[in-house]
């Protein structure tokens, strides 16, 4: 159990997917203008990333490795992630059309989020078993969502602040992101996973 | 900057839509893809910009009562709490049940195959629960956007003049 906790802390905080691994930066800058949209996107990404981690583990373990097809890993994972996103969209639409209308816009955006491909590849590289793959995907996505929400909160406050014209817009957002990354360096050394 | 609020004083998340049809006391609306999307270099590949089929799938209805006409561009709002509740229902509940089921299976049997099967079972159970809760929310009208007013004329371009 302790191993799982360390794995999750390492994935969410120490090796944060956005601020340390520099994955998913497009969504990080693009969907963080409001806390609500950042939360919606974060939850959608958490769902897709966790399910993708599980499916790619199964694919790697039962199909690619036994048949010596590991050279197809990247292209296979991309296809699986796209399929998971489409599947999630279909399921949400089926189980509740009202939910689909409310949240459907976020789902296709996730296919272009490189962290959703990066985490399953890291799972393979670190030889995780089923449980470790799932928790690593879940914790990485939680770390991603945390950064999205924190950064959205900061940007909401920045929108009301008096920023010098030269720094207004993206420049002050990048400076804020770099300060956030510096703050997260404080977690270095807690866990190496 | 004034944050939009509903009659009960709760803050709303705004969106833009176009009136597609008027049907027996209801207005059929289609979301307008944000100009930010148009300016994106991946616009041609992105699902959010995947043409009329994608937008047609996202059409929704609101009660008529504001004299809207076909082609009008309007601003609609959804309660912040409704958006969070919907996200929680659609993603968090199935995911948490999947995690709980697989952790229990891992503790009991410790075999990857059994754990994976239990994870699928937990995910399915979570989706059934979500469906039941979402139906209740929908019946109470919590997931229906409300009309806030006409969209401003200069709303076509974003703040930086991109994507016009």
């Amino acid at each position: 159990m302790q191993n799982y906790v360390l794995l999750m802390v390492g994935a969410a905080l120490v090796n944060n997917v956005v601020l340390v691994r520099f994955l998913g930066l497009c969504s990080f800058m693009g969907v963080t203008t409001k806390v609500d949209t950042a939360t919606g996107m974060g939850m959608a990404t958490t769902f897709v990333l966790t399910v993708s981690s599980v499916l790619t583990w199964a694919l790697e373990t039962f199909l690619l490795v036994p048949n010596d097809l590991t050279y197809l890993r990247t292209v296979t994972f991309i296809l699986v992630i796209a399929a998971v996103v489409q599947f999630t969209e279909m399921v949400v639409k089926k189980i509740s059309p009202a939910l689909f209308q409310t949240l459907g816009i976020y789902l296709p955006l996730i296919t272009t989020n490189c962290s959703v491909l990066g985490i399953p590849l890291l799972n393979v590289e670190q030889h995780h078993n089923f449980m470790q793959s799932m928790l690593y995907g879940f914790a990485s996505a939680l770390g991603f969502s945390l950064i999205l929400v924190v950064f959205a909160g900061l940007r909401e406050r920045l929108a009301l602040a008096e920023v010098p014209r030269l720094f207004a817009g993206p420049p002050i957002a990048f400076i804020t992101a770099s300060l956030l990354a510096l703050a997260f360096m404080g977690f270095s050394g807690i866990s190496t996973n | 900057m004034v944050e939009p609020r509903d009659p009960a004083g709760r803050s709303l998340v705004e969106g833009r839509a176009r009136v597609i049809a008027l049907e027996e006391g209801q207005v059929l609306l289609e979301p307008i893809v944000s100009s930010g999307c148009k300016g994106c270099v991946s616009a041609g590949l992105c699902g959010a910009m995947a043409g009329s089929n994608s937008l047609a799938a996202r059409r929704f209805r609101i009660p008529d009562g504001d004299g809207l006409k076909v082609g009008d561009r309007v601003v609609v709002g959804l309660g912040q709490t409704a958006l969070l509740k919907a996200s929680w229902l659609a993603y968090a509940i199935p995911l948490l049940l999947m995690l709980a089921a697989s952790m229990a299976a891992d503790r009991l049997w410790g075999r990857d195959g059994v754990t994976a099967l239990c994870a699928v079972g937990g995910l399915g159970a979570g989706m059934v629960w979500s469906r039941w809760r979402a139906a209740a929310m929908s019946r109470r009208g919590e997931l229906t956007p409300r009309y806030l007013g006409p969209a401003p004329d200069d709303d076509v371009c974003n703040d930086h003049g991109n994507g016009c």
Side-chain angles (χ1 to χ4, degrees), chain B residues 15-18 30-35 38 55 72-74 151:
Chain B
R16 305 286 185 270
R18 183 177 287 110
E30 186 176 276
I32 298 173
V33 176
S34 71
S35 46
K38 287 179 191 170
L55 288 176
D72 281 355
R73 290 159 39 82
V74 297

Side-chain angles (χ1 to χ4, degrees), chain B residues 8 26 32 37 73 78-79 81 96 134 142 161-162:
Chain B
Q26 292 204 310
I32 298 173
C37 278
R73 290 159 39 82
L78 186 73
T81 49
L96 290 177
E142 288 179 39
N162 298 326

Side-chain angles (χ1 to χ4, degrees), chain A residues 54-134:
Chain A
V54 167
L55 284 180
T56 49
W57 173 87
L59 210 66
E60 175 76 13
T61 309
F62 299 120
L63 184 71
L64 298 182
V65 171
N67 294 299
D68 203 16
L69 294 170
T70 48
Y71 62 92
L72 290 174
R73 182 180 296 140
T74 307
V75 72
T76 316
F77 283 12
I78 290 171
L79 281 174
V80 167
I81 290 160
V84 169
V85 173
Q86 285 300 316
F87 171 77
T88 308
E89 191 167 335
M90 281 162 56
V91 168
V92 172
K93 191 176 180 183
K94 196 77 183 169
I95 65 171
S96 172
L99 278 184
F100 177 75
Q101 280 164 9
T102 312
L103 304 165
I105 193 72
Y106 299 119
L107 278 167
L109 297 175
I110 298 168
T111 42
T112 52
N113 184 341
C114 57
S115 63
V116 183
L117 175 63
I119 297 303
L121 290 173
L122 283 168
N123 270 327
V124 173
E125 191 185 293
Q126 296 176 14
H127 306 291
H128 286 156
N129 63 22
F130 176 81
M131 217 36 219
Q132 288 170 330
S133 295
M134 187 168 66

Side-chain angles (χ1 to χ4, degrees), chain A residues 8-28 42 45-46 49 53 113-120 122 136-148 181 184 193:
Chain A
M8 289 182 75
V9 170
L13 299 175
V14 183
N15 293 315
N16 186 275
V17 70
V18 180
L19 298 179
V20 178
R21 297 197 189 279
F22 303 117
L23 296 172
L25 292 175
C26 185
S27 333
F28 174 63
T45 308
T46 304
L49 191 43
S53 296
N113 184 341
C114 57
S115 63
V116 183
L117 175 63
I119 297 303
L122 283 168
Y136 190 74
F138 179 65
S140 298
L142 279 187
F144 177 79
S145 306
L146 172 74
I147 296 301
L148 238 58
F184 265 71
N193 285 309

Side-chain angles (χ1 to χ4, degrees), chain A residues 1 4 26 34 36-37 39-40 43-44 46-47 50-51 54 57 62 87-89 91-96 98-109 111-112 129-131 134-135 138 159-160 169-170, chain B residues 1 3 12-14 42 46-48 57-61 78 80 82-92 94-96 98-99 102-103 106-107 112-113 115-116 119 123 127 130-131 134-135 138 143 160:
Chain A
M1 197 60 167
Y4 291 154
C26 185
K34 288 195 83 174
D36 314 294
T37 48
T39 310
M43 284 204 191
T46 304
F47 183 85
T50 311
V51 175
V54 167
W57 173 87
F62 299 120
F87 171 77
T88 308
E89 191 167 335
V91 168
V92 172
K93 191 176 180 183
K94 196 77 183 169
I95 65 171
S96 172
L99 278 184
F100 177 75
Q101 280 164 9
T102 312
L103 304 165
I105 193 72
Y106 299 119
L107 278 167
L109 297 175
T111 42
T112 52
N129 63 22
F130 176 81
M131 217 36 219
M134 187 168 66
L135 291 178
F138 179 65
L160 300 171
Chain B
M1 188 173 74
E3 193 176 54
L12 297 168
V13 180
E14 277 188 17
S42 303
C46 178
R58 293 187 169 82
R59 286 177 182 171
F60 58 96
R61 287 177 172 80
L78 186 73
Q80 272 185 6
L83 186 68
L84 289 177
K85 274 186 191 171
S87 305
W88 181 257
L89 272 182
Y91 307 121
L95 201 59
L96 290 177
M98 183 176 96
L99 284 167
S102 49
M103 287 190 94
D106 189 53
R107 295 280 287 181
D112 279 348
T115 311
L123 186 66
M127 283 175 171
S130 292
R131 180 179 186 167
S138 188
L143 298 174
H160 308 290

